[in-house]
Amino acid sequence: QVQLVESGGGLVQPGGSLRLSCAASRSIVNLNTIAWYRQAAGKEREWVATINSEGKTYYTDAVKGRFTISKDNDKNTVYLQMSSLKPEDTAVFYCNARRYQGMSYRDYWGQGTQVTVSS
């Protein structure tokens, strides 16, 4: 079992930056992937970025060049550095951890943190 706690959300002006954190209750070394998702009001949750156990990173096109996902294994924490924020980035951001178990996997989710981009 892994508990995930997101933090770092808030209100920021367009063009600004925020860094989100996802703190895990146990070591993240054995988690296969950790990802950020977001859900805007009235829309479905969408994938934003992933970092795998080897440190490889992947991004949805909408955030490439603006967001950076990283992790600190010693702190059991994953970060999402967001810059050049746009109003359309406004959403609740969720942290997801996935651990594969044979042919299946188990997902863990945090409670989310609100990011609002507005002037």
Side-chain angles (χ1 to χ4, degrees):
Q1 191 77 357
V2 179
Q3 281 77 47
L4 303 172
V5 178
E6 301 97 333
S7 62
L11 174 64
V12 63
Q13 292 187 342
S17 299
L18 278 177
R19 188 178 79 159
L20 305 184
S21 298
C22 171
S25 60
R26 48 168 286 181
S27 174
I28 63 173
V29 170
N30 294 324
L31 295 171
N32 296 94
T33 62
I34 300 179
W36 287 95
Y37 287 74
R38 64 185 179 185
Q39 186 167 19
K43 295 187 177 181
E44 293 188 354
R45 191 172 298 188
E46 64 173 0
W47 169 71
V48 175
T50 294
I51 186 166
N52 69 13
S53 58
E54 298 174 347
K56 291 191 68 174
T57 59
Y58 307 87
Y59 301 92
T60 190
D61 286 346
V63 308
K64 281 181 181 176
R66 300 189 299 122
F67 291 11
T68 301
I69 188 171
S70 62
K71 63 178 178 174
D72 186 331
N73 288 335
D74 291 337
K75 295 183 178 179
N76 298 330
T77 300
V78 174
Y79 304 98
L80 185 68
Q81 178 68 48
M82 306 185 294
S83 60
S84 301
L85 283 162
K86 306 174 182 179
E88 51 263 43
D89 293 318
T90 295
V92 178
F93 281 70
Y94 297 91
C95 182
N96 163 271
R98 175 168 290 184
R99 186 173 65 190
Y100 287 94
Q101 299 171 313
M103 296 296 290
S104 64
Y105 61 85
R106 183 165 183 179
D107 276 339
Y108 303 92
W109 291 92
Q111 83 290 347
T113 185
Q114 176 72 47
V115 171
T116 302
V117 184
S118 174
S119 55

